[in-house]
Amino acid sequence: MSYSASSVSAASVICKGYFTGSITTADGSALVKLGNTTVICGIKAEFAAPPIDSSNKGYIVPNVDLPPLCSSRFRPGPPGEEAQAASQFIADVIENSQMIQKEDLCIVEEKIAWVLYCDIICLDYDGNLLDACMCALLAALKNVHLPAVTVNEETGLAEVNFKEKTPLTIKKQPVATSFVLLDTVILVDPTAEEEDLATGNLTIVTDEEGKLCSVYKPGGSVITGTKLQDCISRATVRHKEVKKLMDKVIKSVQPT
């Protein structure tokens, strides 16, 4: 799925690095800026047959794109290792956190369901990619409003009522917090330079209840249990700050 520069709405609202409703051609969208890293998430909703083994569920399909536009470290062509790892990380968080019940995406069991294609594109890269991607995904999902759909019994075709739309039900609100290990020092919200110098990386995802959704550590140096617990505590505090900011932005774009 692609978006043109002309589809970015001038009526978008920004508040300390957050846009919502940025792409007018998407069903939901958000732009997030953390430090010098900027990502945009556009969500398109389409129809599909439910999975054979889960006939009462829909789909959420995340995809992270790291184009050469965002950094000279990335090359044109198929998704690289970092982009694939980020896509898989987000898919795992969606599944583990149960942020959206896939049953809510089913329109008619065994016949038709929603597919949410979540395309996350990095516009400027300066480290801390996973945090920015998760924030953009959550804000974009909160921006999605799906039209009412009924199935005509005579024709078997779906009939869409765009005048009647309902927001997605977000069950959990996972927020990622990334750290880098520099010998005995642990830094939060790292830049690309700090990530390159680090001996290890750690990303912790928590929800609004302070529960762990994911602990992602792709190799590197060992972290002690005490330091890990400290990182979890920091992630819990940061979640509250991010949620407060996101709620403020979403409230500002809601019609009065």
Side-chain angles (χ1 to χ4, degrees), residues 132-147:
C133 287
M134 279 304 306
C135 284
L137 174 67
L138 178 57
L141 287 171
K142 284 174 168 284
N143 186 239
V144 172
H145 286 70
L146 296 177

Side-chain angles (χ1 to χ4, degrees), residues 39 62-67 79-80 82-88 90 118-122 129-130 133:
V39 300
N63 180 67
V64 176
D65 185 17
L66 300 174
E82 188 168 353
Q84 293 182 49
S87 297
Q88 186 59 54
I90 292 174
C118 308
D119 288 334
I120 304 170
I121 303 171
C122 184
L129 176 68
L130 299 181
C133 287

Side-chain angles (χ1 to χ4, degrees), residues 99-114:
M99 60 188 303
I100 292 180
Q101 296 293 325
K102 293 182 180 179
E103 290 84 355
D104 294 342
L105 299 178
C106 183
I107 300 171
V108 178
E109 189 171 344
E110 298 183 351
K111 291 185 178 181
I112 188 170
W114 286 110

Side-chain angles (χ1 to χ4, degrees), residues 205-227:
V205 184
T206 59
D207 63 19
E208 63 273 24
E209 297 177 354
K211 296 180 180 179
L212 275 177
C213 300
S214 176
V215 177
Y216 177 66
K217 190 177 185 304
S221 57
V222 177
I223 184 172
T224 65
T226 302
K227 289 184 177 179

Side-chain angles (χ1 to χ4, degrees), residues 32 41 54 71 85 88 90 113 143 150 157 163 186 188 197 221 228 237 242 255:
V32 170
C41 177
S54 302
S71 173
Q88 186 59 54
I90 292 174
N143 186 239
T150 57
L157 299 177
K163 295 182 179 180
I186 298 178
V188 65
L197 296 173
S221 57
L228 177 60
V237 173
V242 171

